Structure formats: structure tokens, C-alpha cells
Amino acid sequence: MTLLEALILGVLQGLTEFLPVSSSGHLEIGKVLLSLKLAGNESLMFTVVVHFATALATMFVYRKDIGRLLNGLLQFKNNDETRFAGLVLISMVPAGIVGLLFEKEIETLFEGRIALVGSMLIVTGLLLFIADKSRTTLKKITPLSAFVVGIAQAIAILPGISRSGATISTSVILGIDRDNAARFSFLMVIPIIFGKIILDAGDLIQELSEIQGTATVPFSAMAGGFISAFVVGVLACRLMISMVKNAQLKYFSFYCFVVGFISIVSYYYY
């Protein structure tokens, strides 16, 4: 992987992380279009690094909300902040279980399986279309709904299933208003990304120490992908905060249908 290729993939990650069109799916499509031949562990490592960058972008954009959340938690009282933190913890359970129990199986999914990505993009499109037809109410997020949204996030580990699309759509289908759905969707992923980084810290450090040797993803490319994903992620996140509230999810679903179909056709006929 060259620096230019990493920058392109970083921009792709930054843009698609906050659109309900699957950033992981587009990353895999991007790797195929760039003719990148990466081992499963290297491909997954690059994916984790750029996802970490967009998690930091989310923290930067929502820094005031996070500051209020931390301030409320430090008061050690049963306030809105502690309740919100509890809901985030509940939403982490499904993805945490899937990540711990099926780590090796998940790794094999990030090896240019373009047909799988295309199929899952179509599933994402169906979910977005159903959500667009759902009636939105002013329901608040409850422990049960947080867990259900967490299940959607766990399923979104599959490349091609949009994490934001799955979690926002699930929230809307459950009757949660789009503003809270978007806010919860963007903030709930932060602990998951940091947890993944912490759990894989040893392996990542070992990989990075060998990266100048035989690895196909040099350190400069990894850093370039991280920086471009962060910068573009900040811009895209700010844009989507204003767009998600009024966006027509069906238009994103049509996009997923088209890209998914093209991906499947290209796999079988090219």
C-alpha cells in the first residue's frame, strides 16, 4: 500500500463513517478497486486504525457533550449523564460479545470478499428503506432499546452493514427521534473503538514494529490514512449532524442497492 492509496482510503473512511452506507464495506471495495492484496490481519489493522481516527473525529466534534458527560459522571449522582453512560454501556454488550468470541472469524471477512460486501450493502439498503417508512415519535432511549440498538451495532461488524445506518435505522424504527438517534449512534461507538484498540494493543504494536520490514502497509501509509480519515471525518461529522435530522434515508438506501448490485456483478463477471 502506497501513501496515496492510504490517503484515498482514509478520505473514503472519513466520508462514509458518518453516512449510512457502510464505511467498512466501502473500504473493502476501495481496496479491491486499488488492487491491494493485503493479508487478513494487515487489512483489519488498517481498518481499525482509520476507524480509530474517525472515533477521535467524533470526540472532537462532540467534545462539549463528552465534557458535560464526564462532569456529570464525576459528581457520582443518578443524573442524566450517568443514565446516558449506562445506556452506552448496555449498547456495548452485544458487540463486545461478538468481538471477543468471533475475532478470528471476523478477521477473515476483511480479505476482499466483495460479494459479501455487496450483499450486506443491499441488506443495509433494505433496513434504511424500512426505517424511512417508519413513524418517528419522541420516545426516549431505554435500557431495552439501547440493547436492541447494540445488537444492530454488533451485526454491523459485517463489512457492508453500515454501523450508523443500522443503529440510526433501528432507533427510528423503535420510535426514537432522529436527533437523539444520531447523537446516540455517533457517541456509542467511541468506547467500542477504544476497547478494540486496548485489547489489540499488543498485536498492533508488534505489527507496527515489523511494518518497515515485510509488511505491505508501511508506517507512513498507516499514518497518512489516519490523518486523512480524521480530518475528513471531522468535516463529514459536522455536515451529517445537520443532515441526519431531515435526511431522507430512502435515498441512502437506493445508493446502497446500486453499489451492492454493482459489487456482486463485478465479483461474478469480472
PDB file of all heavy atoms in Angstrom, residues 164-201:
ATOM      1  N   SER A 164     -23.643   3.175  11.360  1.00  0.00           N
ATOM      2  CA  SER A 164     -24.537   4.296  11.632  1.00  0.00           C
ATOM      3  C   SER A 164     -25.912   4.046  11.022  1.00  0.00           C
ATOM      4  O   SER A 164     -26.937   4.371  11.625  1.00  0.00           O
ATOM      5  CB  SER A 164     -23.945   5.606  11.095  1.00  0.00           C
ATOM      6  OG  SER A 164     -23.795   5.557   9.687  1.00  0.00           O
ATOM      7  N   GLY A 165     -25.942   3.449   9.825  1.00  0.00           N
ATOM      8  CA  GLY A 165     -27.220   3.150   9.194  1.00  0.00           C
ATOM      9  C   GLY A 165     -28.032   2.157  10.000  1.00  0.00           C
ATOM     10  O   GLY A 165     -29.237   2.331  10.198  1.00  0.00           O
ATOM     11  N   ALA A 166     -27.360   1.109  10.504  1.00  0.00           N
ATOM     12  CA  ALA A 166     -28.047   0.083  11.282  1.00  0.00           C
ATOM     13  C   ALA A 166     -28.545   0.631  12.613  1.00  0.00           C
ATOM     14  O   ALA A 166     -29.681   0.372  13.017  1.00  0.00           O
ATOM     15  CB  ALA A 166     -27.116  -1.109  11.521  1.00  0.00           C
ATOM     16  N   THR A 167     -27.709   1.401  13.305  1.00  0.00           N
ATOM     17  CA  THR A 167     -28.085   1.897  14.629  1.00  0.00           C
ATOM     18  C   THR A 167     -29.115   3.020  14.540  1.00  0.00           C
ATOM     19  O   THR A 167     -30.075   3.048  15.312  1.00  0.00           O
ATOM     20  CB  THR A 167     -26.840   2.385  15.398  1.00  0.00           C
ATOM     21  OG1 THR A 167     -26.108   3.331  14.603  1.00  0.00           O
ATOM     22  CG2 THR A 167     -25.919   1.218  15.736  1.00  0.00           C
ATOM     23  N   ILE A 168     -28.939   3.937  13.598  1.00  0.00           N
ATOM     24  CA  ILE A 168     -29.914   5.025  13.442  1.00  0.00           C
ATOM     25  C   ILE A 168     -31.251   4.467  12.966  1.00  0.00           C
ATOM     26  O   ILE A 168     -32.310   4.841  13.481  1.00  0.00           O
ATOM     27  CB  ILE A 168     -29.394   6.102  12.475  1.00  0.00           C
ATOM     28  CG1 ILE A 168     -28.198   6.843  13.089  1.00  0.00           C
ATOM     29  CG2 ILE A 168     -30.490   7.099  12.138  1.00  0.00           C
ATOM     30  CD1 ILE A 168     -27.533   7.834  12.154  1.00  0.00           C
ATOM     31  N   SER A 169     -31.208   3.567  11.982  1.00  0.00           N
ATOM     32  CA  SER A 169     -32.448   2.986  11.470  1.00  0.00           C
ATOM     33  C   SER A 169     -33.182   2.212  12.550  1.00  0.00           C
ATOM     34  O   SER A 169     -34.409   2.329  12.694  1.00  0.00           O
ATOM     35  CB  SER A 169     -32.151   2.057  10.287  1.00  0.00           C
ATOM     36  OG  SER A 169     -31.647   2.781   9.195  1.00  0.00           O
ATOM     37  N   THR A 170     -32.451   1.417  13.317  1.00  0.00           N
ATOM     38  CA  THR A 170     -33.064   0.655  14.405  1.00  0.00           C
ATOM     39  C   THR A 170     -33.701   1.591  15.419  1.00  0.00           C
ATOM     40  O   THR A 170     -34.821   1.344  15.896  1.00  0.00           O
ATOM     41  CB  THR A 170     -32.022  -0.239  15.101  1.00  0.00           C
ATOM     42  OG1 THR A 170     -31.459  -1.142  14.147  1.00  0.00           O
ATOM     43  CG2 THR A 170     -32.648  -1.044  16.227  1.00  0.00           C
ATOM     44  N   SER A 171     -33.008   2.670  15.747  1.00  0.00           N
ATOM     45  CA  SER A 171     -33.548   3.646  16.698  1.00  0.00           C
ATOM     46  C   SER A 171     -34.836   4.279  16.171  1.00  0.00           C
ATOM     47  O   SER A 171     -35.814   4.430  16.909  1.00  0.00           O
ATOM     48  CB  SER A 171     -32.507   4.731  16.989  1.00  0.00           C
ATOM     49  OG  SER A 171     -31.336   4.186  17.558  1.00  0.00           O
ATOM     50  N   VAL A 172     -34.818   4.657  14.889  1.00  0.00           N
ATOM     51  CA  VAL A 172     -36.003   5.279  14.286  1.00  0.00           C
ATOM     52  C   VAL A 172     -37.165   4.295  14.254  1.00  0.00           C
ATOM     53  O   VAL A 172     -38.311   4.653  14.549  1.00  0.00           O
ATOM     54  CB  VAL A 172     -35.678   5.784  12.868  1.00  0.00           C
ATOM     55  CG1 VAL A 172     -36.946   6.249  12.158  1.00  0.00           C
ATOM     56  CG2 VAL A 172     -34.667   6.924  12.922  1.00  0.00           C
ATOM     57  N   ILE A 173     -36.882   3.033  13.899  1.00  0.00           N
ATOM     58  CA  ILE A 173     -37.930   2.009  13.879  1.00  0.00           C
ATOM     59  C   ILE A 173     -38.519   1.817  15.270  1.00  0.00           C
ATOM     60  O   ILE A 173     -39.720   1.556  15.427  1.00  0.00           O
ATOM     61  CB  ILE A 173     -37.361   0.679  13.334  1.00  0.00           C
ATOM     62  CG1 ILE A 173     -37.021   0.824  11.847  1.00  0.00           C
ATOM     63  CG2 ILE A 173     -38.347  -0.466  13.541  1.00  0.00           C
ATOM     64  CD1 ILE A 173     -36.275  -0.352  11.253  1.00  0.00           C
ATOM     65  N   LEU A 174     -37.684   1.977  16.301  1.00  0.00           N
ATOM     66  CA  LEU A 174     -38.152   1.847  17.684  1.00  0.00           C
ATOM     67  C   LEU A 174     -38.910   3.090  18.153  1.00  0.00           C
ATOM     68  O   LEU A 174     -39.447   3.099  19.261  1.00  0.00           O
ATOM     69  CB  LEU A 174     -36.962   1.591  18.614  1.00  0.00           C
ATOM     70  CG  LEU A 174     -36.269   0.230  18.471  1.00  0.00           C
ATOM     71  CD1 LEU A 174     -35.017   0.175  19.347  1.00  0.00           C
ATOM     72  CD2 LEU A 174     -37.221  -0.901  18.829  1.00  0.00           C
ATOM     73  N   GLY A 175     -38.928   4.134  17.313  1.00  0.00           N
ATOM     74  CA  GLY A 175     -39.688   5.335  17.655  1.00  0.00           C
ATOM     75  C   GLY A 175     -38.879   6.456  18.256  1.00  0.00           C
ATOM     76  O   GLY A 175     -39.433   7.488  18.636  1.00  0.00           O
ATOM     77  N   ILE A 176     -37.572   6.295  18.361  1.00  0.00           N
ATOM     78  CA  ILE A 176     -36.704   7.339  18.931  1.00  0.00           C
ATOM     79  C   ILE A 176     -36.519   8.440  17.881  1.00  0.00           C
ATOM     80  O   ILE A 176     -36.315   8.152  16.698  1.00  0.00           O
ATOM     81  CB  ILE A 176     -35.345   6.748  19.336  1.00  0.00           C
ATOM     82  CG1 ILE A 176     -35.552   5.656  20.390  1.00  0.00           C
ATOM     83  CG2 ILE A 176     -34.411   7.831  19.868  1.00  0.00           C
ATOM     84  CD1 ILE A 176     -34.323   4.831  20.681  1.00  0.00           C
ATOM     85  N   ASP A 177     -36.593   9.698  18.305  1.00  0.00           N
ATOM     86  CA  ASP A 177     -36.477  10.792  17.347  1.00  0.00           C
ATOM     87  C   ASP A 177     -35.079  10.825  16.737  1.00  0.00           C
ATOM     88  O   ASP A 177     -34.103  10.389  17.332  1.00  0.00           O
ATOM     89  CB  ASP A 177     -36.812  12.130  18.009  1.00  0.00           C
ATOM     90  CG  ASP A 177     -35.744  12.579  18.986  1.00  0.00           C
ATOM     91  OD1 ASP A 177     -35.792  12.157  20.167  1.00  0.00           O
ATOM     92  OD2 ASP A 177     -34.856  13.334  18.570  1.00  0.00           O
ATOM     93  N   ARG A 178     -34.977  11.362  15.523  1.00  0.00           N
ATOM     94  CA  ARG A 178     -33.754  11.292  14.735  1.00  0.00           C
ATOM     95  C   ARG A 178     -32.588  12.034  15.385  1.00  0.00           C
ATOM     96  O   ARG A 178     -31.440  11.633  15.239  1.00  0.00           O
ATOM     97  CB  ARG A 178     -34.016  11.831  13.321  1.00  0.00           C
ATOM     98  CG  ARG A 178     -34.991  10.977  12.536  1.00  0.00           C
ATOM     99  CD  ARG A 178     -35.357  11.616  11.201  1.00  0.00           C
ATOM    100  NE  ARG A 178     -36.409  10.855  10.539  1.00  0.00           N
ATOM    101  CZ  ARG A 178     -36.184   9.910   9.631  1.00  0.00           C
ATOM    102  NH1 ARG A 178     -34.958   9.630   9.284  1.00  0.00           N
ATOM    103  NH2 ARG A 178     -37.192   9.254   9.075  1.00  0.00           N
ATOM    104  N   ASP A 179     -32.867  13.120  16.083  1.00  0.00           N
ATOM    105  CA  ASP A 179     -31.800  13.882  16.726  1.00  0.00           C
ATOM    106  C   ASP A 179     -31.101  13.026  17.777  1.00  0.00           C
ATOM    107  O   ASP A 179     -29.872  12.893  17.782  1.00  0.00           O
ATOM    108  CB  ASP A 179     -32.385  15.148  17.369  1.00  0.00           C
ATOM    109  CG  ASP A 179     -31.291  16.084  17.866  1.00  0.00           C
ATOM    110  OD1 ASP A 179     -30.114  15.885  17.493  1.00  0.00           O
ATOM    111  OD2 ASP A 179     -31.616  17.009  18.631  1.00  0.00           O
ATOM    112  N   ASN A 180     -31.887  12.428  18.684  1.00  0.00           N
ATOM    113  CA  ASN A 180     -31.304  11.562  19.710  1.00  0.00           C
ATOM    114  C   ASN A 180     -30.718  10.292  19.108  1.00  0.00           C
ATOM    115  O   ASN A 180     -29.714   9.765  19.599  1.00  0.00           O
ATOM    116  CB  ASN A 180     -32.360  11.196  20.757  1.00  0.00           C
ATOM    117  CG  ASN A 180     -32.625  12.333  21.728  1.00  0.00           C
ATOM    118  OD1 ASN A 180     -31.734  13.111  22.032  1.00  0.00           O
ATOM    119  ND2 ASN A 180     -33.856  12.436  22.193  1.00  0.00           N
ATOM    120  N   ALA A 181     -31.350   9.791  18.040  1.00  0.00           N
ATOM    121  CA  ALA A 181     -30.849   8.589  17.385  1.00  0.00           C
ATOM    122  C   ALA A 181     -29.452   8.826  16.814  1.00  0.00           C
ATOM    123  O   ALA A 181     -28.550   7.998  16.974  1.00  0.00           O
ATOM    124  CB  ALA A 181     -31.804   8.150  16.271  1.00  0.00           C
ATOM    125  N   ALA A 182     -29.255   9.970  16.159  1.00  0.00           N
ATOM    126  CA  ALA A 182     -27.959  10.295  15.578  1.00  0.00           C
ATOM    127  C   ALA A 182     -26.913  10.512  16.667  1.00  0.00           C
ATOM    128  O   ALA A 182     -25.784  10.010  16.574  1.00  0.00           O
ATOM    129  CB  ALA A 182     -28.073  11.532  14.697  1.00  0.00           C
ATOM    130  N   ARG A 183     -27.280  11.259  17.700  1.00  0.00           N
ATOM    131  CA  ARG A 183     -26.340  11.552  18.789  1.00  0.00           C
ATOM    132  C   ARG A 183     -25.899  10.269  19.479  1.00  0.00           C
ATOM    133  O   ARG A 183     -24.706  10.049  19.719  1.00  0.00           O
ATOM    134  CB  ARG A 183     -26.997  12.501  19.798  1.00  0.00           C
ATOM    135  CG  ARG A 183     -26.134  12.839  21.011  1.00  0.00           C
ATOM    136  CD  ARG A 183     -26.796  13.945  21.821  1.00  0.00           C
ATOM    137  NE  ARG A 183     -26.083  14.218  23.059  1.00  0.00           N
ATOM    138  CZ  ARG A 183     -26.384  13.686  24.231  1.00  0.00           C
ATOM    139  NH1 ARG A 183     -27.404  12.818  24.323  1.00  0.00           N
ATOM    140  NH2 ARG A 183     -25.699  13.980  25.313  1.00  0.00           N
ATOM    141  N   PHE A 184     -26.859   9.400  19.790  1.00  0.00           N
ATOM    142  CA  PHE A 184     -26.536   8.147  20.470  1.00  0.00           C
ATOM    143  C   PHE A 184     -25.702   7.245  19.562  1.00  0.00           C
ATOM    144  O   PHE A 184     -24.734   6.613  20.003  1.00  0.00           O
ATOM    145  CB  PHE A 184     -27.818   7.427  20.881  1.00  0.00           C
ATOM    146  CG  PHE A 184     -27.599   6.229  21.753  1.00  0.00           C
ATOM    147  CD1 PHE A 184     -27.156   6.378  23.065  1.00  0.00           C
ATOM    148  CD2 PHE A 184     -27.823   4.942  21.277  1.00  0.00           C
ATOM    149  CE1 PHE A 184     -26.951   5.277  23.888  1.00  0.00           C
ATOM    150  CE2 PHE A 184     -27.629   3.838  22.083  1.00  0.00           C
ATOM    151  CZ  PHE A 184     -27.180   4.004  23.390  1.00  0.00           C
ATOM    152  N   SER A 185     -26.040   7.211  18.265  1.00  0.00           N
ATOM    153  CA  SER A 185     -25.309   6.378  17.314  1.00  0.00           C
ATOM    154  C   SER A 185     -23.853   6.789  17.202  1.00  0.00           C
ATOM    155  O   SER A 185     -22.954   5.941  17.180  1.00  0.00           O
ATOM    156  CB  SER A 185     -25.977   6.447  15.939  1.00  0.00           C
ATOM    157  OG  SER A 185     -25.203   5.778  14.969  1.00  0.00           O
ATOM    158  N   PHE A 186     -23.599   8.099  17.129  1.00  0.00           N
ATOM    159  CA  PHE A 186     -22.239   8.573  16.963  1.00  0.00           C
ATOM    160  C   PHE A 186     -21.407   8.419  18.242  1.00  0.00           C
ATOM    161  O   PHE A 186     -20.204   8.148  18.179  1.00  0.00           O
ATOM    162  CB  PHE A 186     -22.232  10.045  16.527  1.00  0.00           C
ATOM    163  CG  PHE A 186     -22.714  10.247  15.113  1.00  0.00           C
ATOM    164  CD1 PHE A 186     -23.365  11.410  14.750  1.00  0.00           C
ATOM    165  CD2 PHE A 186     -22.520   9.274  14.139  1.00  0.00           C
ATOM    166  CE1 PHE A 186     -23.816  11.607  13.447  1.00  0.00           C
ATOM    167  CE2 PHE A 186     -22.964   9.448  12.836  1.00  0.00           C
ATOM    168  CZ  PHE A 186     -23.608  10.628  12.490  1.00  0.00           C
ATOM    169  N   LEU A 187     -22.046   8.578  19.409  1.00  0.00           N
ATOM    170  CA  LEU A 187     -21.299   8.509  20.666  1.00  0.00           C
ATOM    171  C   LEU A 187     -21.098   7.080  21.158  1.00  0.00           C
ATOM    172  O   LEU A 187     -20.091   6.774  21.800  1.00  0.00           O
ATOM    173  CB  LEU A 187     -22.008   9.328  21.749  1.00  0.00           C
ATOM    174  CG  LEU A 187     -21.984  10.844  21.578  1.00  0.00           C
ATOM    175  CD1 LEU A 187     -22.768  11.531  22.693  1.00  0.00           C
ATOM    176  CD2 LEU A 187     -20.546  11.372  21.552  1.00  0.00           C
ATOM    177  N   MET A 188     -22.030   6.174  20.858  1.00  0.00           N
ATOM    178  CA  MET A 188     -21.947   4.816  21.384  1.00  0.00           C
ATOM    179  C   MET A 188     -20.786   4.020  20.803  1.00  0.00           C
ATOM    180  O   MET A 188     -20.342   3.031  21.392  1.00  0.00           O
ATOM    181  CB  MET A 188     -23.256   4.058  21.137  1.00  0.00           C
ATOM    182  CG  MET A 188     -23.535   3.757  19.687  1.00  0.00           C
ATOM    183  SD  MET A 188     -25.179   3.015  19.400  1.00  0.00           S
ATOM    184  CE  MET A 188     -24.888   1.332  19.916  1.00  0.00           C
ATOM    185  N   VAL A 189     -20.278   4.441  19.645  1.00  0.00           N
ATOM    186  CA  VAL A 189     -19.205   3.686  19.003  1.00  0.00           C
ATOM    187  C   VAL A 189     -17.840   3.991  19.620  1.00  0.00           C
ATOM    188  O   VAL A 189     -16.902   3.202  19.496  1.00  0.00           O
ATOM    189  CB  VAL A 189     -19.167   3.981  17.486  1.00  0.00           C
ATOM    190  CG1 VAL A 189     -18.644   5.374  17.208  1.00  0.00           C
ATOM    191  CG2 VAL A 189     -18.325   2.936  16.755  1.00  0.00           C
ATOM    192  N   ILE A 190     -17.708   5.135  20.297  1.00  0.00           N
ATOM    193  CA  ILE A 190     -16.407   5.540  20.821  1.00  0.00           C
ATOM    194  C   ILE A 190     -15.820   4.499  21.779  1.00  0.00           C
ATOM    195  O   ILE A 190     -14.656   4.099  21.627  1.00  0.00           O
ATOM    196  CB  ILE A 190     -16.496   6.926  21.486  1.00  0.00           C
ATOM    197  CG1 ILE A 190     -16.838   7.981  20.428  1.00  0.00           C
ATOM    198  CG2 ILE A 190     -15.183   7.288  22.179  1.00  0.00           C
ATOM    199  CD1 ILE A 190     -17.076   9.366  20.985  1.00  0.00           C
ATOM    200  N   PRO A 191     -16.566   4.025  22.794  1.00  0.00           N
ATOM    201  CA  PRO A 191     -15.993   3.008  23.690  1.00  0.00           C
ATOM    202  C   PRO A 191     -15.630   1.714  22.976  1.00  0.00           C
ATOM    203  O   PRO A 191     -14.649   1.062  23.342  1.00  0.00           O
ATOM    204  CB  PRO A 191     -17.115   2.771  24.716  1.00  0.00           C
ATOM    205  CG  PRO A 191     -17.960   3.990  24.659  1.00  0.00           C
ATOM    206  CD  PRO A 191     -17.919   4.429  23.236  1.00  0.00           C
ATOM    207  N   ILE A 192     -16.403   1.338  21.940  1.00  0.00           N
ATOM    208  CA  ILE A 192     -16.124   0.118  21.191  1.00  0.00           C
ATOM    209  C   ILE A 192     -14.776   0.222  20.486  1.00  0.00           C
ATOM    210  O   ILE A 192     -13.945  -0.701  20.544  1.00  0.00           O
ATOM    211  CB  ILE A 192     -17.234  -0.161  20.153  1.00  0.00           C
ATOM    212  CG1 ILE A 192     -18.548  -0.509  20.858  1.00  0.00           C
ATOM    213  CG2 ILE A 192     -16.818  -1.279  19.209  1.00  0.00           C
ATOM    214  CD1 ILE A 192     -18.554  -1.859  21.522  1.00  0.00           C
ATOM    215  N   ILE A 193     -14.535   1.352  19.825  1.00  0.00           N
ATOM    216  CA  ILE A 193     -13.278   1.543  19.099  1.00  0.00           C
ATOM    217  C   ILE A 193     -12.103   1.558  20.063  1.00  0.00           C
ATOM    218  O   ILE A 193     -11.079   0.892  19.829  1.00  0.00           O
ATOM    219  CB  ILE A 193     -13.302   2.852  18.281  1.00  0.00           C
ATOM    220  CG1 ILE A 193     -14.412   2.790  17.211  1.00  0.00           C
ATOM    221  CG2 ILE A 193     -11.954   3.115  17.636  1.00  0.00           C
ATOM    222  CD1 ILE A 193     -14.192   1.735  16.160  1.00  0.00           C
ATOM    223  N   PHE A 194     -12.240   2.303  21.161  1.00  0.00           N
ATOM    224  CA  PHE A 194     -11.151   2.362  22.139  1.00  0.00           C
ATOM    225  C   PHE A 194     -10.927   0.997  22.796  1.00  0.00           C
ATOM    226  O   PHE A 194      -9.797   0.607  23.072  1.00  0.00           O
ATOM    227  CB  PHE A 194     -11.432   3.425  23.193  1.00  0.00           C
ATOM    228  CG  PHE A 194     -11.018   4.807  22.771  1.00  0.00           C
ATOM    229  CD1 PHE A 194     -11.900   5.647  22.119  1.00  0.00           C
ATOM    230  CD2 PHE A 194      -9.736   5.266  23.007  1.00  0.00           C
ATOM    231  CE1 PHE A 194     -11.522   6.915  21.709  1.00  0.00           C
ATOM    232  CE2 PHE A 194      -9.338   6.528  22.605  1.00  0.00           C
ATOM    233  CZ  PHE A 194     -10.231   7.360  21.953  1.00  0.00           C
ATOM    234  N   GLY A 195     -12.009   0.277  23.035  1.00  0.00           N
ATOM    235  CA  GLY A 195     -11.879  -1.067  23.603  1.00  0.00           C
ATOM    236  C   GLY A 195     -11.126  -1.988  22.670  1.00  0.00           C
ATOM    237  O   GLY A 195     -10.271  -2.775  23.107  1.00  0.00           O
ATOM    238  N   LYS A 196     -11.430  -1.891  21.365  1.00  0.00           N
ATOM    239  CA  LYS A 196     -10.740  -2.703  20.371  1.00  0.00           C
ATOM    240  C   LYS A 196      -9.257  -2.364  20.332  1.00  0.00           C
ATOM    241  O   LYS A 196      -8.400  -3.261  20.251  1.00  0.00           O
ATOM    242  CB  LYS A 196     -11.384  -2.470  19.004  1.00  0.00           C
ATOM    243  CG  LYS A 196     -10.716  -3.200  17.844  1.00  0.00           C
ATOM    244  CD  LYS A 196     -10.840  -4.681  17.970  1.00  0.00           C
ATOM    245  CE  LYS A 196     -10.247  -5.396  16.746  1.00  0.00           C
ATOM    246  NZ  LYS A 196     -10.234  -6.866  16.890  1.00  0.00           N
ATOM    247  N   ILE A 197      -8.938  -1.070  20.396  1.00  0.00           N
ATOM    248  CA  ILE A 197      -7.539  -0.646  20.375  1.00  0.00           C
ATOM    249  C   ILE A 197      -6.798  -1.185  21.595  1.00  0.00           C
ATOM    250  O   ILE A 197      -5.672  -1.702  21.492  1.00  0.00           O
ATOM    251  CB  ILE A 197      -7.437   0.895  20.328  1.00  0.00           C
ATOM    252  CG1 ILE A 197      -7.959   1.425  18.988  1.00  0.00           C
ATOM    253  CG2 ILE A 197      -5.990   1.346  20.549  1.00  0.00           C
ATOM    254  CD1 ILE A 197      -7.124   1.053  17.793  1.00  0.00           C
ATOM    255  N   ILE A 198      -7.426  -1.080  22.767  1.00  0.00           N
ATOM    256  CA  ILE A 198      -6.787  -1.542  24.005  1.00  0.00           C
ATOM    257  C   ILE A 198      -6.567  -3.059  23.978  1.00  0.00           C
ATOM    258  O   ILE A 198      -5.490  -3.561  24.329  1.00  0.00           O
ATOM    259  CB  ILE A 198      -7.625  -1.142  25.229  1.00  0.00           C
ATOM    260  CG1 ILE A 198      -7.627   0.386  25.387  1.00  0.00           C
ATOM    261  CG2 ILE A 198      -7.090  -1.811  26.499  1.00  0.00           C
ATOM    262  CD1 ILE A 198      -8.584   0.891  26.442  1.00  0.00           C
ATOM    263  N   LEU A 199      -7.590  -3.804  23.548  1.00  0.00           N
ATOM    264  CA  LEU A 199      -7.484  -5.263  23.503  1.00  0.00           C
ATOM    265  C   LEU A 199      -6.416  -5.728  22.516  1.00  0.00           C
ATOM    266  O   LEU A 199      -5.739  -6.736  22.740  1.00  0.00           O
ATOM    267  CB  LEU A 199      -8.837  -5.875  23.122  1.00  0.00           C
ATOM    268  CG  LEU A 199      -9.937  -5.824  24.190  1.00  0.00           C
ATOM    269  CD1 LEU A 199     -11.247  -6.349  23.624  1.00  0.00           C
ATOM    270  CD2 LEU A 199      -9.525  -6.635  25.423  1.00  0.00           C
ATOM    271  N   ASP A 200      -6.287  -4.991  21.418  1.00  0.00           N
ATOM    272  CA  ASP A 200      -5.339  -5.390  20.375  1.00  0.00           C
ATOM    273  C   ASP A 200      -4.033  -4.611  20.439  1.00  0.00           C
ATOM    274  O   ASP A 200      -3.232  -4.676  19.499  1.00  0.00           O
ATOM    275  CB  ASP A 200      -5.964  -5.186  18.983  1.00  0.00           C
ATOM    276  CG  ASP A 200      -7.128  -6.130  18.741  1.00  0.00           C
ATOM    277  OD1 ASP A 200      -7.283  -7.088  19.521  1.00  0.00           O
ATOM    278  OD2 ASP A 200      -7.874  -5.915  17.771  1.00  0.00           O
ATOM    279  N   ALA A 201      -3.815  -3.869  21.539  1.00  0.00           N
ATOM    280  CA  ALA A 201      -2.636  -3.007  21.639  1.00  0.00           C
ATOM    281  C   ALA A 201      -1.341  -3.787  21.414  1.00  0.00           C
ATOM    282  O   ALA A 201      -0.456  -3.356  20.666  1.00  0.00           O
ATOM    283  CB  ALA A 201      -2.604  -2.312  22.995  1.00  0.00           C
TER     284      ALA A 201
END
